[in-house]
Amino acid sequence: MGSRSARRANGALENEVIAVLHGAGRALTPGEVAGLLTAAPAHTTVATTLARLHTRGVLERTPHGRSYAYAPVTDEPGLTARQMHRVMEGGSDRASVLTRFVDELSDDDEDLLRRLLGPEG
């Protein structure tokens, strides 16, 4: 309908950037990240995305020439756990949120959660 290039879904670029950084195993500059993305967004778009992820505490950055190199602050499971905590902190009724979360777990995930929480005391 109006745009010749397809727009990414909200968060899609951030998710791909994070995946690229996790896959790289080292800090990357915005130019290096841009070169590894499936679509070729403008360098400024990648730099802005990296800066926003750094501001939110998802990435750390170190000086690299006149720019920065970025790396994830944690692995993928750690990032998911941080996102879950952030969502929990934004809710007004933690007990209800946790209750509904547990109610919607698969039987296998519920068993795993029980094992992680340890024996009843």
Side-chain angles (χ1 to χ4, degrees):
M1 301 200 199
S3 176
R4 291 174 56 132
S5 63
R7 268 185 74 79
R8 291 174 184 262
N10 287 343
L13 178 58
E14 287 184 357
N15 291 337
E16 188 176 359
V17 164
I18 293 167
V20 163
L21 289 168
H22 278 292
R26 65 178 179 86
L28 299 176
T29 65
E32 291 171 322
V33 172
L36 295 171
L37 295 172
T38 55
H43 182 276
T44 55
T45 301
V46 175
T48 299
T49 300
L50 289 165
R52 286 181 179 159
L53 289 167
H54 173 260
T55 299
R56 291 193 346 235
V58 175
L59 302 179
E60 60 188 8
R61 69 181 182 190
T62 55
H64 188 274
R66 295 187 306 166
S67 183
Y68 291 101
Y70 294 84
V73 296
T74 186
D75 59 8
E76 291 182 63
L79 180 60
T80 301
R82 287 172 58 118
Q83 291 169 334
M84 292 170 69
H85 281 285
R86 194 171 300 124
V87 169
M88 286 295 301
E89 290 167 0
S92 61
D93 186 353
R94 293 174 71 93
S96 292
V97 171
L98 282 172
T99 299
R100 289 187 185 193
F101 177 78
V102 170
D103 285 347
E104 294 178 15
L105 289 175
S106 69
D107 290 342
D108 290 341
D109 285 342
E110 189 173 337
D111 290 341
L112 174 60
L113 181 60
R114 287 182 194 283
R115 285 193 307 273
L116 291 172
L117 293 173
E120 292 183 274

